[in-house]
Amino acid sequence: MFFEGTQYPLGVVFIRGEAPGPTVMIQGGIQGDEPTGFLSAQVLAESRVLKGNLIVVPRANVPSIHVHQRSVNVDMNRRFDRDYNQFYEDRLARVVRFLLSQSSAFIHLHEGSGFYDPVYVSPLRNPSRWGQSIIIDANTHERLDLARLVNAALAEINASVKEQDLQFKLFNTRTFEPDSQYAKEMRKSLTFYALANLNIPAMAVEVSKNIGALGWKVKHQVYATSVLLKHCGVEIVPPRVDEAEIQRLHERDHRVKVNGKPLDGQALAVPPGGTLKVDPGSAGRDAHGQVVAVFASDRQGVNLVDSPRMALERFQELETRVDGRKVSSTSVHFAGEMPPPLPAGPPVFICWLNGKPQQVAHGGVLQTVVGDQLVIDGVLGSKWKETLNFKGYTARPWSNDGQDMGWEIILDPESFIDKYRLPGPGKDVARYQVVRETVGARSSHFFVDVEPRQIQSLKLVDAKGQPVNVRWSSGGEVALAPGEYAVADAHGNGPASRLLPVLGNRPLKTGEKFRLEAGRTQLLTLRQSTTFAGLGAMTLVPGARPAEKAPDKADSGHEFKSEAKPAAKPEARPAVKTAGKPAAKAVAKPAAKPAAKPVAKPAAKPAAKVAAKPEARPLGAGKSLSAKPERTTHY
C-alpha cells in the first residue's frame, strides 16, 4: 500500500507466476466514473499466474472513485507527459511510473462512451467514441508491431462475444502523427508514456458505458485482458466471473461506525468539540478491495476514514459511499451547546499534524518537515463559519475561494506558490502563513515552518532480533554481514512513519524482512511516503565479517560508517507472491537485460507471443489492496 493514511491510498498487487516469464502491469480506476475498469482489475488481481509475473493496480485514483467523477483536481491520465508536482494525482503518477519501469508490457482498463467505429455510423457509433475498442498509439513503433499483436488477440477475444455489435475493434489513435485528432490529449496519457519512453507494448481495453450490464462488461474485459496477456507472454487463470455476483458485490453495503455508532440512518449524537472516529468496518479487510468514504455535508470530498476531525462547527449529515456509490445518509445532532466554550485570550487554531491534534495560538508557529500531513480543522470555540487560508496552497483549483480548512495538505514547498514563501528562521526553512479570512471575525493568523527532511540513521534488526544502527549517507555504502534484516526505525527530524524504504524495486513495510546474500549488493532507497519523492540511497554490501551490533539508540554505541564511494547498481533480488504458495517463500531472480526489443509474432502461429523483456527487474513482495456529465471523448 503506497500513501497509506493519506486521502489517496494506492493499493498494488504483485504476483509472481509458477514459471518464469515477462512482467506485465495492469491498471484500472485511473478515472473514478469507470467502475468496470477497477472491478475487472480487482478480479485479475486474484488470478493464478502460470507463467510470468503481474503487477496489478486495481484502483489507481481512489479520491475520484469516491466522488464517481473522471477527475478531482486534474485528469490523472493527462499527467504523464512530464513530472508534475502540484496535486495528489502527480504523486500517484510518480508511483505508477515507478511500477511501469519494472514491466515489459502495459494494459490499461477503461470504460468509454458509445462504440468506436473507424467510420461514422450513428451518434453513438463513430470515430469519436471509445467504447468496445482496444486502443494503441501506433500500429508499429521501432521494433514493436502493436497492430499485429492486438489483431491476433482480437480474433480470439471476439469469438467469445456473441453480439456482433458489441465486438471489440482495433483503435489506433496515431498519437505520434501531427495530423491525428487525438494526438494533443493522448501524448499526455499513460499508454503513450509507456510506448514512447519505455518502448514497451501498451494498450487500453475500453468497454462501453452504454452497455448496462455491469457483470457482462467485467466478464468480457477480464477475458480480453487475459488474452492480451497471453500474447505478451504471461499466462493466467483468472477467477470465474459470475455476472450476477459481480453486480451483487458492487451493490453491497459496509457497516461503518462513527464513535462506535453505526451509520444506519438513525440520527447520530456528536459531542461539541469531540473527535469523530470512523471505523470503516469490513472495508479494511475486504478481499474485493472496495473503498469506503464517509463525507460530512460541509466538507464534501474529504474522506473522514483517512482524515481526523473535531466537531468545531455544525454540519447536517454524514454520507457513506462504497466505490463511489452512496449507500447511506445519517443526520447529525450536537449533544450540547455549540460551539464549545471559547478560551480566554487570542484565537486558538486546531490542526492535525500527521494525525495528531495540535493547538496553535494567534501569531504562533507550527514546526513541521517536508512530507508531513497537515489538516487545518478550525478555530476553537468559534461561532463563525470559518475561512482559513494557507497562503501558497490551493485546496480546490476549480474554486479558489481561499478556504483550505478541512483539506489534507501535504507539506512540500516545491508544490506551493513560491511568492507566498516567507523568510524562515533558517535559510533552508520555508515559512508560510495561515490567515483567518472569516467575514466578521477577528483577524488572526499563525505560521507553518517547513524544514527539509533529514535522516541521521536507520535501525535495522537482524534475524536474531538484535538492533544494528546504520549511519545514513546518501550515495555511500555500508558493509553488513550476509543474513536476514528488517528496517525497524529511522532517526532524523521527522516521523519514521513518513518514510518508505525501497530495496531495489521492492517497497518495504516497517518490520518486513529482506535478505542480504553473500556476493550480491543491494540498493536501499528512502522515499517520502506521502509524496514518493526520493531522499537518497545507499548500497548494502555483504561484508566478510559479522556485523557489529549497536545499542537501540541512534546516537550511541557502534555505528557503521558509510564510505564515500558511489553507490553501485544493485542486483536486487526481492521476494514476491507466488501464485498458490506462501508469499514469503517466493524469491524473484534477476535476469539479464534482453538484447532486442519485444517483437509481436504473426497470428498464424498460435503459440507465438511477444518476445517481451524477461524479468529484468523483479517484483515486490506480498499482496495488499486497498458525477460529471459524460463526454464523447474519453480515454
Side-chain angles (χ1 to χ4, degrees), residues 54 85 224 238 462 604:
L54 286 184
N85 185 29
D462 66 14

Side-chain angles (χ1 to χ4, degrees), residues 492-561:
N493 64 344
S497 61
R498 292 306 180 204
L499 295 177
L500 176 66
V502 179
L503 188 69
N505 285 320
R506 170 188 168 189
L508 296 174
K509 298 178 181 179
T510 300
E512 183 179 353
K513 296 178 181 178
F514 66 90
R515 188 165 190 82
L516 184 65
E517 298 187 355
R520 185 181 297 274
T521 63
Q522 298 203 58
L523 191 68
L524 181 65
T525 303
L526 288 182
R527 292 181 176 272
Q528 295 276 13
S529 67
T530 52
T531 68
F532 204 65
L535 294 170
M538 288 185 68
T539 302
L540 306 183
V541 181
R545 60 181 176 79
E548 296 181 67
K549 302 298 183 295
D552 193 11
K553 289 186 179 180
D555 56 354
S556 63
H558 299 285
E559 290 185 345
F560 294 106
K561 296 182 179 180

